[in-house]
């Protein structure tokens, strides 16, 4: 699956990976394929550092709200 750009509002603690609570960001995201050994994860490209972050769908839903 290719990365898709979508707008989300960060709902976590200020400073987490450079994000600010309540601030809107355009993220490049995609989901990984689930395997027998590992569940599907969300991959986020940080818009500032361009580093990849991997998190579970539950973690992603706790920290981000789609706009």
């Amino acid at each position: 699956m290719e990365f898709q750009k979508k707008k989300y509002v960060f709902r976590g603690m200020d400073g987490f990976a450079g994000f600010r609570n309540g601030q809107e960001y355009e993220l490049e995201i995609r989901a990984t394929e689930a395997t027998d050994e590992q569940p599907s994860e969300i991959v986020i490209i940080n818009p500032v550092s361009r580093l990849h972050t991997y998190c579970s769908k539950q973690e992603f839903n706790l920290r981000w709200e789609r706009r």
Side-chain angles (χ1 to χ4, degrees):
M1 179 179 203
E2 295 293 318
F3 282 93
Q4 299 176 352
K5 286 188 176 185
K6 296 183 181 178
K7 291 189 178 188
Y8 289 88
V9 172
F10 184 65
R11 298 186 303 197
M13 188 170 70
D14 280 354
F16 174 78
F19 297 115
R20 297 278 180 219
N21 187 34
Q23 185 80 17
E24 183 176 271
Y25 296 91
E26 185 173 43
L27 301 178
E28 293 179 61
I29 63 169
R30 74 175 179 93
T32 62
E33 296 284 330
T35 65
D36 292 338
E37 296 87 29
Q38 190 170 3
S40 177
E41 292 181 310
I42 303 294
V43 183
I44 305 166
I45 298 178
N46 186 313
V48 176
S49 68
R50 305 301 297 163
L51 296 174
H52 291 70
T53 302
Y54 294 80
C55 62
S56 70
K57 289 182 180 182
Q58 295 86 356
E59 287 177 301
F60 182 80
N61 289 331
L62 287 173
R63 291 188 181 137
W64 296 97
E65 178 183 331
R66 186 152 183 210
R67 288 290 166 137

